[in-house]
Amino acid sequence: VQPKHALQIKPIEDFITKGITYIYKRDRGHRPIIIINVDRLIQAGADVDTMVYLLNFQIDFIIRNCFIPGIIENWTVIVDLSNVGLTQIPKTLLQGMISAMSKNYRGRMFKLFCVQTAWLVRGLWKVVQSLIDEFTASKISIYGGGDF
């Protein structure tokens, strides 16, 4: 039985089955891992509001079912950029999703990893990294195809 405050699955059920974002196991610190597949995100053609609702649904699930108060209270995010070129990255959509997450769940993200990232994006990150605060920059890691 779901509590009355829980978000409903019906509006996003189709997007969940497409594997655009999903929860996959835990990291070494036992934090839940949220994976965002950008290629599937592009193919789904969803708008910002739908994707924010999808993330809110999954995060609500994580908070209710995967956290242990005082022990595990944050998560790790992996953004998979496989098969996505620099010009294909849906910047507005990703910015909207990240903005909503940081507004609604401030301080909950432990670390963000971008994997399978094009060399140009990695180069841009090196420039941007020097412009943001050190604490935020330390939470973000960007890797190419063979960087593991």
Side-chain angles (χ1 to χ4, degrees):
V1 175
Q2 282 190 334
K4 290 192 182 268
H5 72 281
L7 297 169
Q8 300 300 308
I9 195 170
K10 279 292 181 201
I12 48 145
E13 193 168 20
D14 187 43
F15 294 106
I16 287 176
T17 60
K18 290 180 180 177
I20 297 166
T21 67
Y22 53 95
I23 304 160
Y24 182 76
K25 296 190 179 187
R26 294 176 181 267
D27 66 12
R28 288 183 181 173
H30 303 288
R31 292 173 285 269
I33 301 170
I34 300 170
I35 299 179
I36 301 172
N37 186 306
V38 178
D39 186 36
R40 292 178 185 163
L41 176 67
I42 294 167
Q43 291 176 20
D47 60 30
V48 174
D49 292 337
T50 303
M51 294 317 302
V52 167
Y53 188 91
L54 173 60
L55 280 173
N56 283 335
F57 178 85
Q58 291 178 326
I59 290 171
D60 181 59
F61 176 86
I62 288 172
I63 291 170
R64 286 186 292 110
N65 299 293
C66 302
F67 280 0
I68 300 171
I71 299 172
I72 301 169
E73 295 183 329
N74 52 12
W75 52 74
T76 297
V77 177
I78 298 175
V79 178
D80 181 0
L81 289 161
S82 298
N83 304 318
V84 178
L86 177 63
T87 58
Q88 295 173 297
I89 296 173
K91 294 163 199 67
T92 307
L93 188 55
L94 288 173
Q95 285 173 342
M97 292 166 64
I98 291 168
S99 173
M101 285 180 73
S102 62
K103 224 180 275 177
N104 298 331
Y105 306 103
R106 182 168 296 285
R108 293 285 193 154
M109 184 182 74
F110 172 69
K111 197 137 171 98
L112 181 135
F113 297 93
C114 288
V115 298
Q116 301 296 325
T117 310
W119 65 270
L120 189 54
V121 174
R122 292 191 310 269
L124 289 171
W125 169 244
K126 289 186 193 265
V127 173
V128 171
Q129 188 176 17
S130 64
L131 302 173
I132 60 176
D133 69 276
E134 191 176 320
F135 179 73
T136 302
S138 71
K139 289 183 153 218
I140 302 171
S141 298
I142 299 188
Y143 299 99
D147 292 344
F148 300 105

